[in-house]
Amino acid sequence: MASKTLEHFLHENLADLKSKGLYNVIDPLQSANGPVITIAGKELINLSSNNYLGLATDQRLVDAAIAAASKYGVGAGAVRTINGTLDLHVKLEEKLAAFKHTEAAIAYQSGFNCNMAAISAVMDKDDAILSDELNHASIIDGCRLSRAQIIRVNHSDIDDLRAKAKEAKESGKYKKLMVITDGVFSMDGDVAKLPEIVEVAEEFDLITYVDDAHGSGVLGKGAGTVKHFGLSDKIDFQIGTLSKAIGVVGGYVAGRQELIDWLKVRSRPFLFSTSLTPADVAASIAAIDILMNSTELHDKLWDNGHYLKKGLKELGFNIGESETPITPCIIGDEQQTQEFSKRLYEEGVYAKAIVFPTVPKGTGRVRNMPTAAHSKEMLDRALSIYEKVGKEMGILK
Ligand SMILES: *Cc1c(COP(=O)(O)O)cnc(C)c1O
């Protein structure tokens, strides 16, 4: 019999979420997560995936995955430190280091898992972490897991960072200090002020940690935000994911050899969770090869990003201050935002509403993620649906 306490807890809390309209219903896809998707038999232009370069369905990756599965099977069979390290994993890590211009790299099973692993392998209760208030949930959880003091920094506010770094340093309370930030913030598409952050880090001897989940493949001609600013030798931890622009699954840290050596003996998901599957690793290697050899997909992504932004702006929508292809369409009111997204769906566009508490109250938005795989015709169709729904709801004049 189920625990009465649990039953009560679940019932109350689910009812509460549903009454507030915060209960998320998941729509399963009946197709690949490409530029056009099928949900409940309906075809939709997909503006919600992180598959920036369209690599999730790229035939070269699919072929690499199939070949690896045929040779190595579907599972790696063990954790990395027992005998779950295949030559493929080593090759992937060498490739990642070359891609990020660092001495070495270590791969994890996901980006989320990577933040759980890397922060707590280095930081502990005698330390403090200066963390941007808009950092990703996995950074927040990784910081908590380390038991270090978390010092919240106003979003991209360098004066606030400097003041708090100075205070932490001068207090003499902490053995190590770290500054941690997203490279690209995924809700607004703005880029972290890395040159200024590095300056503050040098002034107060901060360990620098940049999670570039949304920047890799997108900025720095594909190599990411750190490369974009020419700071490859100034950032201690370059975090990335293999699940967004790379199109597969997994996460990694790129950095100095000694850092990677340490993570290989001290980061818990590396020691206690089975390694990435052969197919995932082979597909990721193929993706990085593609990125390192050509900027074609990167250029197409930016071209599509500019095209969509220009179109939405010309229609009269508020698209915020994004510096990347991430294109928010800011509606404001939470309920109207939800309704807007629902109407887009009915008309044939899949673009998720993002509202408080994910973003501040009154800044509800529909977030658009154009990819290299979209054609201009698809974007035009999306824009005409935006226009129709915008006018119908009185958002556009
Ligand atoms: C998406 C994301 C992650 C998680 O990556 P996964 O590989 O999907 O687990 C981590 N950090 C940031 C900043 C992200 O945007």
Side-chain angles (χ1 to χ4, degrees):
M1 210 178 100
S3 148
K4 282 261 179 304
T5 321
L6 176 63
E7 215 167 282
H8 185 71
F9 165 84
L10 295 173
H11 191 75
E12 290 273 295
N13 286 288
L14 284 169
D16 182 52
L17 282 182
K18 284 175 186 167
S19 76
K20 289 178 179 151
L22 295 174
Y23 183 76
N24 186 33
V25 181
I26 295 169
D27 316 311
L29 273 62
Q30 297 161 320
S31 63
N33 201 344
V36 176
I37 52 177
T38 309
I39 293 174
K42 184 180 166 73
E43 275 206 355
L44 298 141
I45 296 170
N46 176 18
L47 290 172
S48 285
S49 88
N50 298 315
N51 180 20
Y52 286 111
L53 302 176
L55 288 170
T57 54
D58 190 290
Q59 195 58 44
R60 293 165 287 184
L61 273 68
V62 174
D63 290 344
I66 291 168
S70 299
K71 177 171 177 188
Y72 297 91
V74 291
V79 303
R80 288 289 302 272
T81 49
I82 308 288
N83 67 353
T85 296
L86 306 174
D87 53 3
L88 279 180
H89 292 97
V90 177
K91 192 171 164 201
L92 172 65
E93 290 171 340
E94 287 169 359
K95 194 69 70 183
L96 286 166
F99 178 50
K100 290 286 160 179
H101 304 272
T102 59
E103 288 174 10
I106 177 172
Y108 293 96
Q109 301 87 342
S110 76
F112 199 106
N113 179 311
C114 176
N115 282 327
M116 296 297 104
I119 302 169
S120 60
V122 170
M123 303 303 280
D124 66 30
K125 61 178 176 17
D126 300 323
D127 303 326
I129 304 173
L130 296 139
S131 175
D132 190 286
E133 63 180 337
L134 295 189
N135 277 344
H136 188 261
S138 59
I139 296 178
I140 296 168
D141 287 9
C143 290
R144 284 182 186 151
L145 192 60
S146 76
R147 296 185 299 156
Q149 179 69 40
I150 300 165
I151 303 170
R152 203 177 134 111
V153 178
N154 295 337
H155 177 52
S156 278
D157 182 341
I158 300 301
D159 292 338
D160 192 46
L161 172 64
R162 181 175 284 109
K164 286 173 178 162
K166 185 167 192 287
E167 191 188 333
K169 186 86 189 169
E170 288 174 356
S171 75
K173 280 199 294 199
Y174 308 110
K175 285 198 179 140
K176 299 193 282 306
L177 294 172
M178 174 183 271
V179 56
I180 185 160
T181 182
D182 278 27
V184 171
F185 291 88
S186 62
M187 294 304 145
D188 291 287
D190 56 321
V191 179
K193 296 175 180 162
L194 291 187
E196 290 92 335
I197 291 172
V198 163
E199 237 173 69
V200 176
E202 288 184 338
E203 196 176 336
F204 299 104
D205 188 29
L206 311 179
I207 300 165
T208 47
Y209 189 111
V210 177
D211 179 348
D212 209 22
H214 285 275
S216 271
V218 177
L219 286 169
K221 287 278 166 205
T225 309
V226 171
K227 184 75 189 342
H228 168 75
F229 287 115
L231 294 169
S232 300
D233 57 339
K234 304 261 181 177
I235 300 295
D236 296 305
F237 288 76
Q238 286 195 58
I239 310 306
T241 170
L242 301 169
S243 64
K244 288 176 180 150
I246 301 296
V248 192
V249 72
Y252 59 89
V253 182
R256 280 186 294 276
Q257 186 65 51
E258 277 199 317
L259 170 64
I260 304 307
D261 290 346
W262 177 250
L263 294 175
K264 285 187 171 172
V265 292
R266 274 295 175 274
S267 54
R268 294 169 71 79
F270 190 84
L271 298 167
F272 298 110
S273 182
T274 299
S275 50
L276 283 167
T277 72
D280 292 326
V281 176
S284 297
I285 292 170
I288 297 161
D289 274 335
I290 292 169
L291 255 77
M292 287 175 74
N293 288 320
S294 160
T295 61
E296 185 189 336
L297 293 173
H298 160 276
D299 298 345
K300 181 94 191 293
L301 164 68
W302 279 88
D303 191 40
N304 280 342
H306 289 312
Y307 190 80
L308 183 70
K309 276 186 184 164
K310 185 166 170 282
L312 286 173
K313 208 168 170 176
E314 279 173 6
L315 287 174
F317 286 106
N318 172 6
I319 59 165
E321 306 290 332
S322 173
E323 302 167 75
T324 61
I326 296 172
T327 306
C329 183
I330 300 167
I331 307 294
D333 178 72
E334 282 69 29
Q335 223 147 7
Q336 199 180 24
T337 308
Q338 301 279 14
E339 178 60 22
F340 190 80
S341 168
K342 184 164 154 268
R343 284 290 300 127
L344 288 176
Y345 180 96
E346 287 162 359
E347 296 293 332
V349 171
Y350 196 89
K352 271 276 192 198
I354 297 173
V355 297
F356 179 79
T358 309
V359 293
K361 261 210 170 77
T363 70
R365 79 238 4 231
V366 173
R367 191 182 52 160
N368 302 285
M369 318 281 271
T371 74
H374 287 88
S375 65
K376 289 286 185 314
E377 292 69 35
M378 290 172 194
L379 297 177
D380 283 339
R381 201 154 93 229
L383 284 166
S384 76
I385 291 170
Y386 258 96
E387 181 175 21
K388 177 174 178 201
V389 174
K391 284 186 172 153
E392 169 197 298
M393 289 184 60
I395 294 160
L396 296 179
K397 287 179 202 75

